[in-house]
Amino acid sequence: MSQNIPRIPLDLRKHKLAIAIPWTIIVTTGCFIPVAVYFGVHYGTNKDLTTALSPGLATFGASSGYNLYFRFWSLYKAKSTCRPVNSPSRWFLDNFMWNFMILFGILTVLISVAIAKEQVRVASLSLSILMFAVGLQMVIVVVLRSFRVQSPFQVSSAPPGETVKSAALAIVEDVVAVDAKQGAEMRALLLARYDASPPIQNLFWKLDLLWGVSALGVAAGIVAIIFAVHNYSVGFAVGYSVPWIWAGLMTIVTIQMVKAAKREEERYFSQAGSID
């Protein structure tokens, strides 16, 4: 039986710069700068821990705050073209934005308290908390989808009343629409492709499970190391480097999974004739 599959007229290779710039800044300020400044000041001078922690973590906070403002304004402004499909108002932000704002607030408080109290181990937890939050959501979505639970509210562009879709799908939709500047039309096309293609649904189910479980496992390991090692500086280095190494490796695995899913989709819809 033939079936028309919604085409996705998007080549992310043409938008690598738009996506790479903010994420390169986040990785640089969320890994290299905090670690370099901390070790440089703490071991290269006689300054106290507050001075060693503050500059690097403040830079991380500032870059995250800038990206938060950029995303919020892109979604909220009156002539926004990237809000979720069927948004009831300007205040209906996408799922990525709500996570960003809530976690930014939590981590800002955590890091501020850690700096004030000179608690290096507490300051080392920020990225692990982020991994726990995102990983837990993904695992919960996998469970809900397995039991075919219907969503009680709209998640990004996925409407309420339908079986819970995918946490990874929501992330892809939000990043492509806002960060890659592809807008609401691309949101609709991504959802249509997902709904029409069982291989793509299976791909996102696997991505939710893989990213979610690995995030929880790696984050738990990082926290254990932070509080187990005698030298809290080692825990700081682990806390601000391992999450990015994990994310990089997972990205490589994800790219290979996407390529395999597209081949499977082509086989599945070999008679459709409308695969992008």
Side-chain angles (χ1 to χ4, degrees):
M1 180 177 66
S2 65
Q3 183 175 352
N4 290 326
I5 308 301
R7 295 178 61 85
I8 305 296
L10 173 66
D11 184 353
L12 287 178
R13 290 172 296 182
K14 298 179 180 179
H15 303 278
K16 287 191 295 186
L17 191 60
I19 296 175
I21 289 176
W23 284 102
T24 298
I25 294 173
I26 289 175
V27 173
T28 301
T29 58
C31 175
F32 300 115
I33 292 178
V35 172
V37 171
Y38 170 77
F39 278 89
V41 173
H42 184 48
Y43 291 100
T45 70
N46 59 357
K47 301 293 184 181
D48 57 25
L49 283 174
T50 297
T51 304
L53 287 170
S54 297
L57 296 182
T59 302
F60 181 31
S63 68
S64 299
Y66 171 79
N67 279 284
L68 184 146
Y69 170 78
F70 167 78
R71 290 197 97 262
F72 176 81
W73 182 246
S74 296
L75 291 162
Y76 177 76
K77 61 185 179 182
K79 295 183 179 181
S80 173
T81 59
C82 61
R83 278 196 289 269
V85 178
N86 297 322
S87 298
S89 74
R90 294 168 63 183
W91 288 103
F92 189 86
L93 308 175
D94 60 26
N95 187 63
F96 191 98
M97 192 70 241
W98 284 114
N99 273 283
F100 198 161
M101 290 192 299
I102 293 171
L103 289 170
F104 180 80
I106 292 173
L107 297 185
T108 298
V109 172
L110 177 98
I111 290 174
S112 298
V113 171
I115 291 175
K117 300 293 184 178
E118 295 190 351
Q119 293 293 321
V120 179
R121 285 190 170 90
V122 175
S124 306
L125 295 173
S126 58
L127 295 182
S128 299
I129 291 174
L130 176 62
M131 291 174 67
F132 269 122
V134 176
L136 183 60
Q137 288 181 57
M138 288 183 154
V139 171
I140 289 174
V141 166
V142 168
V143 174
L144 294 177
R145 186 167 179 262
S146 298
F147 287 96
R148 302 191 65 81
V149 175
Q150 294 183 339
S151 177
F153 48 81
Q154 181 170 335
V155 178
S156 291
S157 295
E162 295 184 357
T163 300
V164 172
K165 295 187 184 297
S166 162
L169 174 66
I171 293 172
V172 171
E173 175 198 329
D174 296 341
V175 170
V176 169
V178 181
D179 299 278
K181 299 179 175 63
Q182 295 303 295
E185 181 180 0
M186 187 57 64
R187 290 182 183 272
L189 288 172
L190 285 169
L191 283 185
R193 180 65 165 267
Y194 175 89
D195 289 337
S197 176
I200 295 300
Q201 294 171 23
N202 187 49
L203 166 67
F204 277 105
W205 182 85
K206 291 178 180 178
L207 290 177
D208 282 347
L209 188 62
L210 179 63
W211 280 82
V213 172
S214 65
L216 294 178
V218 173
I222 292 171
V223 172
I225 292 172
I226 289 172
F227 286 100
V229 295
H230 177 71
N231 187 340
Y232 48 72
S233 295
V234 173
F236 187 85
V238 169
Y240 280 93
S241 61
V242 172
W244 299 112
I245 297 172
W246 163 80
L249 293 174
M250 289 296 296
T251 299
I252 294 172
V253 173
T254 297
I255 291 171
Q256 298 307 311
M257 290 175 65
V258 170
K259 291 179 178 179
K262 290 197 70 174
R263 291 193 295 268
E264 175 62 25
E265 189 182 47
E266 289 170 358
R267 289 192 295 267
Y268 189 91
F269 294 110
S270 59
Q271 297 179 354
S274 185
I275 303 263
D276 179 33

